[in-house]
Amino acid sequence: MDLQSLLKAIAGVLAAWGLLLLTILIHETGHMLGYVLCVREKAVPWRLEVGSGRQLLKIGRLRIRLIPFGGLFWLDDLSELPWKTAFCMTAGGPVASLLTAALLLAFGGSVFSDSLCRWLFYCNLSQFIGTAIPLSYPSWMSSIPESDGKRLLRLLKGPR
């Protein structure tokens, strides 16, 4: 392998890493927007965490971690949220992922390169599918016990 091929491979890995973090950021920002749009007053402090493992960057309420797997929209006060707020906050992540995938499918090729657009589209579509399906996560995989889809089903079945 020559130096040029090695540099292209390294650039590809770094681009994939960055796009995966961006996909998680979009999803978690959707949760945040769902919360912020539903809470007019008495909003509790919150933060966004993107990825897992060692912290690379902290900007205000945003923390970016090394491994592009998982993310959190974290509320400092975990007391009971009103049903509407909990529903909007939970649905916000999958909706943001699906909306991003749809926008990339419709307009992405004219703005970004086709391969970049296609890759980002599949990342966001996978993020939507992976979080919208009602699942319980094993404890070794995540500190979050259930997917957004399972939480939404629980909210729809429970008292309002």
Side-chain angles (χ1 to χ4, degrees):
M1 179 182 281
D2 64 344
L3 182 59
Q4 186 176 9
S5 298
L6 179 63
L7 291 175
K8 281 184 179 181
I10 292 171
V13 168
L14 289 175
W17 175 79
L19 291 175
L20 286 172
L21 284 175
L22 178 61
T23 299
I24 297 166
L25 178 62
I26 290 167
H27 181 89
E28 298 306 327
T29 300
H31 288 302
M32 182 266 303
L33 288 173
Y35 174 74
V36 169
L37 292 174
C38 283
V39 175
R40 297 285 183 218
E41 65 249 2
K42 292 191 178 185
V44 298
W46 54 267
R47 72 177 185 268
L48 287 175
E49 291 193 15
V50 177
S52 59
R54 184 177 177 179
Q55 182 172 300
L56 295 178
L57 181 65
K58 180 181 176 190
I59 304 171
R61 297 178 181 184
L62 173 64
R63 293 184 176 124
I64 296 179
R65 299 185 181 275
L66 180 63
I67 303 167
F69 182 75
L72 289 170
F73 169 67
W74 187 264
L75 294 174
D76 285 353
D77 181 7
L78 298 176
S79 61
E80 282 295 314
L81 294 173
W83 185 89
K84 179 183 171 187
T85 303
F87 187 85
C88 290
M89 180 181 77
T90 304
V95 167
S97 296
L98 183 61
L99 183 61
T100 302
L103 289 172
L104 285 164
L105 187 62
F107 304 109
S110 61
V111 178
F112 304 109
S113 73
D114 280 340
S115 59
L116 177 70
C117 176
R118 193 175 315 116
W119 210 85
L120 197 51
F121 164 77
Y122 285 121
C123 285
N124 278 279
L125 185 62
S126 298
Q127 178 82 4
F128 167 72
I129 292 169
T131 57
I133 295 173
L135 296 171
S136 293
Y137 297 132
S139 60
W140 61 265
M141 185 176 143
S142 174
S143 60
I144 301 169
E146 61 190 9
S147 68
D148 295 335
K150 187 164 185 177
R151 181 147 194 243
L152 287 170
L153 278 178
R154 193 169 38 81
L155 285 168
L156 288 171
K157 289 179 182 177
R160 293 184 191 189

